[in-house]
Amino acid sequence: MDIGCLVLLMIPVVLVACFWYTFWQAERENDRREKAAFEALLRQAHDAADRTADALTGRGDGGTDAVLGVIWEHTGSPVITHDADRRAFTAVAARSAVVDRKPVPPVGGPVTVRRCFTYTYVRRTGPAWTSEVTERDLGACRGSGRIGDSVFFARVRLAGLEPARLTRAGVRSALEPGDPPDDEGRFAVRSVVRTGRTVVAVVLVRYVDRYHPVPAGGPAVAEQCYRLTRILDPDGGAGRTVTAVPVAEAAC
């Protein structure tokens, strides 16, 4: 009887030990997968920076808008700033990957891992551009991400407008239904020009983070000027493709 009782007492201990070991092994594997994903994102960021620098070098002399277009094409950064004194362009963008975690009771399934990167491109003398990648806290990409979301929203709204409403007033109404002042809304429509079947809207996209202020105490502000282009159907009907490209601050 004593032996039987001992066996019964050992069963929960063995089960707990087996569960703990399974959990430990799964967590080690999940940590390995997440670390591999983070390292892959870092490699992707450096590859994008190198491709951008090569493209800028190969392009030769070009205006600010041309440089912004190349950086945006290769990094996908919604916000790109230009420091004329340093002759530098800085792009901020987050990268993400889905990691298929090994199930661990009571949780499991895929998770998304993110990293925030700053890309800096400088052309000092000669034709060659240099690039530098710096990892930042995810909070540094908050404004950039919100700008990207707003640009996507603007593209959808412009794609759905009837051609007759593709005017400055019509675009402003579509993007800011509440008609807030330009310095308070997400969008400030600078101009809308129609040439033939091409409609080009220049829009300043803004994000004000009032919940995560900068150290000085004021709200954190991110903004970027975009050129949104829509091509109408040959018969004047509603074409549905809208492209968006960042442009220099001078364009706004």
Side-chain angles (χ1 to χ4, degrees), residues 13-223:
V13 175
V14 172
L15 291 176
V16 170
C18 290
F19 175 82
W20 178 86
Y21 181 76
T22 301
F23 180 88
W24 178 73
Q25 286 282 71
E27 282 300 293
R28 283 190 61 189
E29 175 62 19
N30 290 334
D31 289 344
R32 186 195 65 79
R33 294 180 184 182
E34 291 188 15
K35 182 180 179 181
F38 281 128
E39 292 174 349
L41 292 177
L42 181 59
R43 288 195 301 270
Q44 292 171 17
H46 280 284
D47 289 345
D50 291 342
R51 289 196 306 271
T52 307
D54 290 343
L56 290 171
T57 300
R59 185 182 183 89
D61 292 333
T64 301
D65 284 352
V67 175
L68 291 175
V70 172
I71 296 174
W72 178 80
E73 177 185 355
H74 290 282
T75 66
S77 173
V79 176
I80 307 170
T81 59
H82 176 214
D83 186 334
D85 293 335
R86 294 176 52 226
R87 302 175 67 182
F89 292 80
T90 302
V92 181
R95 289 182 173 270
S96 62
V98 176
V99 177
D100 187 15
R101 286 175 57 89
K102 190 173 182 179
V104 179
V107 296
V111 297
T112 301
V113 296
R114 294 180 175 86
R115 299 184 81 164
C116 176
F117 298 103
T118 294
Y119 306 82
T120 303
Y121 302 94
V122 180
R123 181 185 180 186
R124 303 202 182 279
T125 57
W129 287 77
T130 62
S131 65
E132 181 181 354
V133 177
T134 305
E135 185 171 2
R136 305 282 301 280
D137 181 87
L138 280 175
C141 280
R142 184 181 296 109
S144 177
R146 296 297 178 85
I147 294 291
D149 294 341
S150 293
V151 171
F152 177 79
F153 170 81
R155 291 178 59 192
V156 172
R157 295 292 288 173
L158 263 66
L161 283 181
E162 292 301 317
R165 293 190 61 198
L166 290 171
T167 62
R168 187 171 183 270
V171 172
R172 175 179 168 81
S173 177
L175 297 182
E176 295 282 10
D179 196 28
D182 280 350
D183 59 350
E184 295 182 8
R186 283 195 298 165
F187 305 96
V189 181
R190 301 307 195 196
S191 65
V192 177
V193 177
R194 178 169 177 173
T195 305
R197 294 191 296 115
T198 302
V199 179
V200 177
V202 176
V203 180
L204 178 65
V205 186
R206 304 176 72 248
Y207 168 67
V208 180
D209 188 349
R210 304 185 186 281
Y211 301 100
H212 302 86
V214 294
V221 178
E223 61 182 27

